[in-house]
Amino acid sequence: MAVFVRVVEKGSFTAAADDFGLSTTMVANHVRSLETQLGARLLERTTRRQHLTEIGAAYLERCRDVLGSVQAADQVAEALRATPQGTLRVTASVTWGAHRLMPVISAYMAVHPQVKVELSLNDRVVDMQEEGFDVAVRSGTISDQQLIARPLRPPRMLAVASPAYLSAHAKPRKPDDLRRHNCLGFAPWGTDHVWRFSRSGQKVSVPVRGSLVCNNGQALLSAALGGVGVVVQVDVLLEPAIASGQLVRLLPGWELPARALHILRRRETRPTAKLRSFVDFVVERLG
C-alpha cells in the first residue's frame, strides 16, 4: 500500500524504488500484487507515462487515510515509550507495600504526574502475565526466566511481644526459650514453624508453636499489641510500636534471616518509559 502511494506521488516506479531502497521490479511486483488482490487495475502504464484509473484514484485516497492512521498510531506508541504516562499496575506484599513502597510511589507520581498507579497489596504470589501486572515486588528465590529481577534491600525481621504478655511470661533470654512461649505464625511462610536465629557465626533453629496463625502482618501486630503472644514481622511494621513502648524487641543480640527481595518486570524488548522509569526510581531509593 505504501509503495503504491509513493509510486503515484513520485510519478514512476524507478523514483519510488529509490525512496524505498528496492529494485524497480520489486516495486512493480508490489503494485501488481495489490491489483491482483483487488481484481482491478490501479495504474494505466505506457512507455512514456502512467496515470491512475478511476478505481486507482479512489483507492489512493483510502490508502492515504489508512497510512495516516498507522503513522498516528506509531507516534502514540513512540510517545508512550519516550515519556512516562499511562497506567502502571503494581503488586507487593501488604506490609512492605503499605509502609515501604507506598511513600516511594508517592514521590514517583510527584515527578511523573502523567502516570497513574494501581497498587494491589496481598501476601500471595501473583501470576504477573495472567493478572496483568506490570511490576511486582516479591521476596524469596526468583526462578521464572520470563521475569527480569533487580534486588532491593531486604527488610530486617524482629521478634517482639507486649509488656503485658512479658509480665505474665518469663522474658526469653535465649532463642531456645521461645519453645515455652505462644509464638504466632505467619501463614505465607508455610507450615514449617521454625524460627532461625544467628549471632557471631552461631546458628540456632527453634521449633515454635502458637494459638494463632494469620496471613496478614498488620493483624499479627494487633495480636501482639493485645498481648496474645510473640510475633516475628518486618521492622517497618514493628518499629513505631517498639519506639512508643507498646512492644518490646526480644533477643536483640540475635538476628533473624532476611528474605531476598526483588522488584520484577516481565521481559520485554522495549519496555515503556513508565515501566523503565518506575523500576529505576524504586531501585534507586530501596535498592
Side-chain angles (χ1 to χ4, degrees):
M1 189 180 294
V3 170
F4 165 66
V5 172
R6 192 62 56 84
V7 167
V8 175
E9 291 174 345
K10 290 293 184 178
S12 74
F13 284 24
T14 302
D18 289 341
D19 272 12
F20 282 107
L22 300 173
S23 68
T24 304
T25 300
M26 183 60 71
V27 169
N29 288 341
H30 278 298
V31 175
R32 275 196 293 270
S33 177
L34 272 179
E35 291 177 330
T36 300
Q37 178 183 330
L38 297 170
R41 292 187 66 80
L42 301 174
L43 291 168
E44 293 290 355
R45 300 179 287 277
T46 67
T47 55
R48 298 185 61 183
R49 61 186 296 272
Q50 66 182 31
H51 65 272
L52 288 165
T53 64
E54 182 180 2
I55 293 175
Y59 187 67
L60 174 66
E61 294 309 308
R62 297 300 298 168
C63 286
R64 284 173 169 159
D65 290 343
V66 170
L67 292 173
S69 296
V70 171
Q71 184 180 17
D74 288 345
Q75 289 171 347
V76 168
E78 191 57 39
L80 288 172
R81 292 193 190 100
T83 304
Q85 58 184 293
T87 300
L88 192 69
R89 301 195 68 231
V90 182
T91 180
S93 64
V94 175
T95 298
W96 191 90
H99 294 273
R100 192 78 83 195
L101 182 60
M102 192 62 239
V104 176
I105 290 177
S106 298
Y108 173 83
M109 294 175 70
V111 176
H112 301 291
Q114 291 180 278
V115 177
K116 173 185 175 183
V117 176
E118 294 181 1
L119 177 62
S120 175
L121 299 180
N122 56 73
D123 290 321
R124 64 181 178 83
V125 176
V126 304
D127 185 322
M128 293 179 65
Q129 178 73 33
E130 184 69 24
E131 300 181 46
F133 285 106
D134 302 296
V135 177
V137 178
R138 189 176 298 170
S139 61
T141 303
I142 307 300
S143 57
D144 191 340
Q145 298 300 311
Q146 298 304 310
L147 300 176
I148 293 176
R150 295 180 65 181
L152 299 177
R153 184 172 60 255
R156 295 176 64 209
M157 307 302 296
L158 304 177
V160 299
S162 70
Y165 175 85
L166 295 174
S167 68
H169 303 80
K171 186 176 181 179
R173 302 297 176 183
K174 59 183 185 299
D176 202 59
D177 292 345
L178 290 171
R179 294 173 184 267
R180 298 186 292 275
H181 283 265
N182 190 31
C183 297
L184 312 186
F186 187 49
W189 293 345
T191 57
D192 177 23
H193 299 302
V194 176
W195 292 354
R196 296 170 174 84
F197 295 84
S198 63
R199 181 181 66 179
S200 302
Q202 180 185 4
K203 296 183 178 181
V204 179
S205 296
V206 183
V208 296
R209 293 182 299 174
S211 59
L212 174 68
V213 176
C214 183
N215 68 345
N216 182 271
Q218 190 71 46
L220 287 175
L221 170 61
S222 295
L225 291 170
V228 178
V230 178
V231 164
V232 166
Q233 272 297 305
V234 293
D235 52 2
V236 69
L237 177 65
L238 302 177
E239 282 176 344
I242 294 173
S244 67
Q246 294 175 285
L247 292 176
V248 176
R249 182 183 174 188
L250 305 178
L251 306 169
W254 293 85
E255 295 293 330
L256 286 150
R259 292 167 61 86
L261 191 68
H262 295 87
I263 185 168
L264 312 172
R265 68 172 177 85
R266 286 175 283 171
R267 194 175 294 277
E268 299 177 26
T269 304
R270 298 184 65 187
T272 59
K274 66 181 177 183
L275 178 56
R276 187 173 57 251
S277 63
F278 180 79
V279 171
D280 289 344
F281 195 90
V282 172
V283 170
E284 181 181 340
R285 286 154 181 77
L286 299 177

